[in-house]
mmCIF file of all heavy atoms in Angstrom:
data_model
loop_
_atom_site.group_PDB
_atom_site.id
_atom_site.type_symbol
_atom_site.label_atom_id
_atom_site.label_comp_id
_atom_site.label_asym_id
_atom_site.label_seq_id
_atom_site.Cartn_x
_atom_site.Cartn_y
_atom_site.Cartn_z
ATOM 1 N N TRP M 142 13.954 -8.966 1.670
ATOM 2 C CA TRP M 142 12.532 -8.645 1.814
ATOM 3 C C TRP M 142 11.693 -9.493 0.869
ATOM 4 O O TRP M 142 10.539 -9.848 1.201
ATOM 5 C CB TRP M 142 12.297 -7.157 1.569
ATOM 6 C CG TRP M 142 13.102 -6.306 2.503
ATOM 7 C CD1 TRP M 142 14.169 -5.507 2.196
ATOM 8 C CD2 TRP M 142 12.927 -6.206 3.929
ATOM 9 N NE1 TRP M 142 14.658 -4.911 3.325
ATOM 10 C CE2 TRP M 142 13.917 -5.319 4.415
ATOM 11 C CE3 TRP M 142 12.034 -6.778 4.839
ATOM 12 C CZ2 TRP M 142 14.043 -4.985 5.755
ATOM 13 C CZ3 TRP M 142 12.147 -6.457 6.186
ATOM 14 C CH2 TRP M 142 13.144 -5.563 6.634
ATOM 15 N N ALA M 143 12.255 -9.835 -0.264
ATOM 16 C CA ALA M 143 11.565 -10.745 -1.180
ATOM 17 C C ALA M 143 11.399 -12.114 -0.534
ATOM 18 O O ALA M 143 10.336 -12.732 -0.618
ATOM 19 C CB ALA M 143 12.334 -10.852 -2.496
ATOM 20 N N HIS M 144 12.447 -12.576 0.142
ATOM 21 C CA HIS M 144 12.374 -13.877 0.807
ATOM 22 C C HIS M 144 11.401 -13.842 1.979
ATOM 23 O O HIS M 144 10.683 -14.818 2.237
ATOM 24 C CB HIS M 144 13.768 -14.321 1.256
ATOM 25 C CG HIS M 144 14.613 -14.816 0.124
ATOM 26 N ND1 HIS M 144 14.516 -16.098 -0.385
ATOM 27 C CD2 HIS M 144 15.553 -14.182 -0.631
ATOM 28 C CE1 HIS M 144 15.363 -16.245 -1.391
ATOM 29 N NE2 HIS M 144 16.008 -15.100 -1.553
ATOM 30 N N MET M 145 11.350 -12.719 2.692
ATOM 31 C CA MET M 145 10.377 -12.570 3.767
ATOM 32 C C MET M 145 8.962 -12.605 3.195
ATOM 33 O O MET M 145 8.069 -13.276 3.742
ATOM 34 C CB MET M 145 10.615 -11.252 4.513
ATOM 35 C CG MET M 145 9.627 -10.965 5.623
ATOM 36 S SD MET M 145 10.096 -9.448 6.545
ATOM 37 C CE MET M 145 8.635 -9.236 7.590
ATOM 38 N N ALA M 146 8.743 -11.889 2.093
ATOM 39 C CA ALA M 146 7.426 -11.870 1.464
ATOM 40 C C ALA M 146 7.014 -13.268 1.023
ATOM 41 O O ALA M 146 5.860 -13.682 1.216
ATOM 42 C CB ALA M 146 7.435 -10.919 0.266
ATOM 43 N N LYS M 147 7.940 -13.998 0.436
ATOM 44 C CA LYS M 147 7.660 -15.371 0.002
ATOM 45 C C LYS M 147 7.279 -16.243 1.193
ATOM 46 O O LYS M 147 6.293 -16.995 1.139
ATOM 47 C CB LYS M 147 8.882 -15.939 -0.710
ATOM 48 C CG LYS M 147 8.758 -17.404 -1.096
ATOM 49 C CD LYS M 147 7.685 -17.619 -2.144
ATOM 50 C CE LYS M 147 7.660 -19.069 -2.603
ATOM 51 N NZ LYS M 147 6.576 -19.309 -3.582
ATOM 52 N N ALA M 148 8.025 -16.135 2.280
ATOM 53 C CA ALA M 148 7.770 -16.956 3.468
ATOM 54 C C ALA M 148 6.418 -16.632 4.099
ATOM 55 O O ALA M 148 5.771 -17.513 4.687
ATOM 56 C CB ALA M 148 8.886 -16.758 4.489
ATOM 57 N N LEU M 149 5.985 -15.367 3.992
ATOM 58 C CA LEU M 149 4.711 -14.959 4.576
ATOM 59 C C LEU M 149 3.524 -15.288 3.676
ATOM 60 O O LEU M 149 2.369 -15.169 4.095
ATOM 61 C CB LEU M 149 4.723 -13.452 4.861
ATOM 62 C CG LEU M 149 5.647 -12.979 5.984
ATOM 63 C CD1 LEU M 149 5.658 -11.456 6.057
ATOM 64 C CD2 LEU M 149 5.228 -13.569 7.323
ATOM 65 N N GLY M 150 3.809 -15.677 2.441
ATOM 66 C CA GLY M 150 2.740 -15.993 1.507
ATOM 67 C C GLY M 150 2.231 -14.800 0.724
ATOM 68 O O GLY M 150 1.127 -14.831 0.162
ATOM 69 N N CYS M 151 3.036 -13.729 0.674
ATOM 70 C CA CYS M 151 2.643 -12.525 -0.074
ATOM 71 C C CYS M 151 2.710 -12.770 -1.581
ATOM 72 O O CYS M 151 3.439 -13.647 -2.046
ATOM 73 C CB CYS M 151 3.569 -11.358 0.265
ATOM 74 S SG CYS M 151 3.555 -10.839 1.990
ATOM 75 N N HIS M 152 1.992 -11.959 -2.331
ATOM 76 C CA HIS M 152 2.076 -12.040 -3.787
ATOM 77 C C HIS M 152 3.086 -11.063 -4.369
ATOM 78 O O HIS M 152 3.480 -11.194 -5.529
ATOM 79 C CB HIS M 152 0.709 -11.829 -4.441
ATOM 80 C CG HIS M 152 0.076 -10.483 -4.199
ATOM 81 N ND1 HIS M 152 0.539 -9.306 -4.754
ATOM 82 C CD2 HIS M 152 -1.005 -10.120 -3.455
ATOM 83 C CE1 HIS M 152 -0.216 -8.293 -4.380
ATOM 84 N NE2 HIS M 152 -1.171 -8.751 -3.576
ATOM 85 N N SER M 153 3.534 -10.058 -3.559
ATOM 86 C CA SER M 153 4.377 -8.995 -4.117
ATOM 87 C C SER M 153 5.226 -8.318 -3.057
ATOM 88 O O SER M 153 4.940 -8.406 -1.859
ATOM 89 C CB SER M 153 3.500 -7.905 -4.772
ATOM 90 O OG SER M 153 2.671 -8.413 -5.780
ATOM 91 N N ILE M 154 6.248 -7.632 -3.536
ATOM 92 C CA ILE M 154 6.900 -6.594 -2.757
ATOM 93 C C ILE M 154 6.649 -5.278 -3.490
ATOM 94 O O ILE M 154 6.572 -5.247 -4.717
ATOM 95 C CB ILE M 154 8.414 -6.817 -2.556
ATOM 96 C CG1 ILE M 154 9.143 -6.936 -3.903
ATOM 97 C CG2 ILE M 154 8.670 -8.017 -1.670
ATOM 98 C CD1 ILE M 154 10.672 -6.971 -3.756
ATOM 99 N N ARG M 155 6.483 -4.200 -2.721
ATOM 100 C CA ARG M 155 6.312 -2.876 -3.311
ATOM 101 C C ARG M 155 7.624 -2.127 -3.193
ATOM 102 O O ARG M 155 8.220 -2.057 -2.132
ATOM 103 C CB ARG M 155 5.196 -2.110 -2.599
ATOM 104 C CG ARG M 155 4.808 -0.814 -3.292
ATOM 105 C CD ARG M 155 5.773 0.342 -2.994
ATOM 106 N NE ARG M 155 5.492 0.990 -1.732
ATOM 107 C CZ ARG M 155 6.422 1.453 -0.899
ATOM 108 N NH1 ARG M 155 7.714 1.299 -1.162
ATOM 109 N NH2 ARG M 155 6.068 2.058 0.211
#
Side-chain angles (χ1 to χ4, degrees):
W142 302 111
H144 284 279
M145 178 175 172
K147 175 66 175 177
L149 291 174
C151 298
H152 62 71
S153 302
I154 57 172
R155 189 280 278 143

